[in-house]
Amino acid sequence: MRISRSTGRPYLCRGPETEVPTETIWSSIMKTAIAVLGIGRMGSALARALIRADFDVRVWNRTADKCAPLAALGATATATVRDAVANSDIILVNVSDYDATRSLLRRDDVAPLLTGKLIVELTSGTPKGAREASSWAGSQNASYLDGAILATPDYIGTDAGTILVSGPASLFHDNPAFFRALGGNVQHVGDDPGRANAMDSSVLSLMWGSLFGALQSIAICKAEAIPLPDLATQWTATAPVIEGLVSDLIGRTGQGRFAADADSLSTIAPHFSAFQHLCELVNSHGVDPGLVNAYDAVFRRAIAAGQEQDDFAAMSLHLARPA
């Protein structure tokens, strides 16, 4: 191999006169090495996606046997975190929580090996935890990006795979092949390393609101002897209406449009009136009132503030913890 005087790029020499550009074979010589720490269902999916994309993948897990299927696909199974990290360019972490990550990386035999490397934390955590982890990585002269996976393992590596990533934008944009391998909808959402986790919690709030609402709906149907397939039919019919209400709520709150106007879909008053019927039904059947009691408290704070005739978006002003 030689260096071309004209391009400065490496090339293979097939004779005294011929320069053969090495773009087609350079990737096989200089593959980016990725250490994947944590081989649960999600970690395994991340590692498989990187193997399919032809990265040099090293895997580690506390239960070493979990690495065997990935080794059969071409990954290198390592016995220790140090072995996985030592010769890797990117350290991808997907373990139980940030405490687990600290126990793996903040060790005397591992931390010095992180200098000059990129840590990509895809463990679920809090914005505060992400910011602290980013600060620590900087103290080790390592780069850091934090991410939140908004997908189940079967979506990883597919066009629909969604991962939110936050931290310095340059680090994200300097590694397009790595992030594209993980999914077709991997997004950089901000330079603040805590942004991805904050957005993750916001989206999960929407999801859990729907799931817990569904559980309460099921409880009411059972109490009233309504067949659950009938509930499924009504959900299919009303889901587009609910989606429209949520979109309108987000839009109006973002614009600060809390007073009712010609475009309001509903004010607080009719919601509160219908909600009281739900409270009565729940209490009459002995269904756990925890959810409705929490909602009722927010309704009553808005009404006490004189906003009963405002757009439902005004409820967003009353989610802060009461003084």
Side-chain angles (χ1 to χ4, degrees), residues 162-309:
T162 298
I163 300 176
L164 309 181
V165 179
S166 56
S170 59
L171 297 176
F172 178 80
H173 295 300
D174 284 347
N175 295 279
F178 168 75
F179 287 111
R180 180 61 185 86
L182 300 181
N185 192 32
V186 180
Q187 311 168 32
H188 182 258
V189 295
D191 289 339
D192 173 5
R195 177 66 65 84
N197 277 333
M199 183 65 72
D200 181 44
S201 291
S202 296
V203 174
L204 288 175
S205 292
L206 286 173
M207 181 190 75
W208 286 322
S210 297
L211 292 177
F212 277 103
L215 291 175
Q216 186 164 259
S217 297
I218 290 168
I220 291 170
C221 285
K222 286 183 175 180
E224 287 286 331
I226 298 172
L228 291 183
D230 290 357
L231 174 61
T233 297
Q234 297 308 319
W235 163 247
T236 300
T238 57
V241 177
I242 296 171
E243 181 179 348
L245 287 167
V246 171
S247 295
D248 181 70
L249 173 60
I250 293 171
R252 291 184 72 97
T253 302
Q255 299 161 9
R257 295 170 56 211
F258 300 122
D261 56 33
D263 296 324
S264 287
L265 300 178
S266 182
T267 60
I268 292 173
H271 278 281
F272 182 68
S273 176
F275 180 75
Q276 296 311 304
H277 302 152
L278 173 62
C279 292
E280 181 180 344
L281 182 59
V282 164
N283 289 321
S284 69
H285 284 297
V287 175
D288 190 318
L291 289 175
V292 295
N293 287 346
Y295 299 154
D296 190 60
V298 181
F299 267 120
R300 292 184 185 280
R301 287 200 291 272
I303 291 169
Q307 294 188 290
E308 191 170 3
Q309 300 305 321

Side-chain angles (χ1 to χ4, degrees), residues 55-145:
F55 284 97
D56 178 5
V57 179
R58 297 95 186 273
V59 293
W60 174 88
N61 195 70
R62 291 189 189 277
T63 305
D65 291 349
K66 290 187 176 182
C67 296
L70 297 169
L73 296 176
T76 300
T78 61
T80 67
V81 173
R82 176 186 171 84
D83 291 340
V85 167
N87 295 308
S88 295
D89 304 298
I90 298 176
I91 317 303
L92 176 61
V93 188
N94 185 247
V95 289
S96 58
D97 53 36
Y98 282 20
D99 286 340
T101 299
R102 281 191 284 270
S103 73
L104 299 180
L105 299 184
R106 302 190 191 191
R107 293 165 28 181
D108 291 343
D109 64 331
V110 174
L113 301 176
L114 300 174
T115 298
K117 299 180 180 182
L118 171 61
I119 301 169
V120 179
E121 176 71 86
L122 293 185
T123 297
S124 295
T126 65
K128 179 181 179 181
R131 294 174 188 127
E132 192 275 334
S134 178
S135 177
W136 178 83
S139 73
Q140 304 300 308
N141 295 313
S143 301
Y144 183 90
L145 289 171

